[in-house]
């Protein structure tokens, strides 16, 4: 069985955040979603558990970071091509996301980033593995 990852993220408005990611082409798994949590399907082995802040608080005694002011994590996703990087990030920015950093273009590697409605930073990268090893 492949190893899976479930990234847990606090969100202020679950419906807004689910709608945002829906515009980027992501779906949710209703079997693991309710009125306080949505299981965002990123791939067959990667999921983001989007939780309302009160629900997220059930899992930690620490304060929830205000992601508009501080960064706790940068979520990096691979893409199949440079064009797919642009497609995802352009859709994020057109759907209410915020810019996050400059475009990185090293020829063999290309990446852009955005902030979701809750200001979590997502970096989308493409890499030509053959050129990177050469």
């Amino acid at each position: 069985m492949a190893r899976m990852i479930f990234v847990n993220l606090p969100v202020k408005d679950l419906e807004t955040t689910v709608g945002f990611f829906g515009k980027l082409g992501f779906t949710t798994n209703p079997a693991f979603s309710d009125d306080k949590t949505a299981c965002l399907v990123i791939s067959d082995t990667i999921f983001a558990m989007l939780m309302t802040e009160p629900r997220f608080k059930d899992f930690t005694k620490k304060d929830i970071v205000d992601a508009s002011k501080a960064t706790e994590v940068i979520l990096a996703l691979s893409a199949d091509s440079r064009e797919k990087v642009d497609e995802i990030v352009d859709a994020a920015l057109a759907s209410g996301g915020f810019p996050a950093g400059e475009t990185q273009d090293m020829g063999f590697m290309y990446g852009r980033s955005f902030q979701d409605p809750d200001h979590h930073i997502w970096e989308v990268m493409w890499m030509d593995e053959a050129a990177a090893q050469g």
Side-chain angles (χ1 to χ4, degrees), residues 19-97:
F20 171 81
F21 283 106
K23 291 175 185 171
L24 304 187
F26 295 107
T27 61
T28 57
N29 182 335
F32 300 104
S33 302
D34 58 29
D35 63 333
K36 297 177 185 168
T37 304
C39 178
L40 183 70
V41 179
I42 297 171
S43 77
D44 291 342
T45 58
I46 304 169
F47 308 87
M49 299 303 293
L50 307 172
M51 300 180 193
T52 62
E53 288 182 348
R55 178 67 178 131
F56 188 87
K57 234 7 216 159
D58 290 339
F59 294 91
T60 183
K61 293 179 184 342
K62 293 182 176 184
D63 291 337
I64 295 174
V65 171
D66 179 347
S68 68
K69 297 178 182 174
T71 301
E72 183 177 24
V73 66
I74 296 174
L75 303 151
L77 297 175
S78 63
D80 294 334
S81 66
R82 296 169 67 97
E83 294 78 19
K84 189 66 176 175
V85 169
D86 288 336
E87 178 185 321
I88 293 169
V89 176
D90 289 345
L93 297 175
S95 300

Side-chain angles (χ1 to χ4, degrees), residues 70-133:
T71 301
E72 183 177 24
V73 66
I74 296 174
L75 303 151
L77 297 175
S78 63
D80 294 334
S81 66
R82 296 169 67 97
E83 294 78 19
K84 189 66 176 175
V85 169
D86 288 336
E87 178 185 321
I88 293 169
V89 176
D90 289 345
L93 297 175
S95 300
F98 307 95
E102 300 297 319
T103 298
Q104 299 174 31
D105 189 350
M106 295 172 246
F108 69 94
M109 188 164 60
Y110 177 76
R112 291 176 60 199
S113 55
F114 65 90
Q115 297 177 64
D116 66 23
D118 294 283
H119 297 279
H120 303 292
I121 299 173
W122 296 79
E123 187 174 76
V124 186
M125 301 291 295
W126 165 82
M127 181 172 60
D128 179 344
E129 292 184 34
Q133 294 174 3

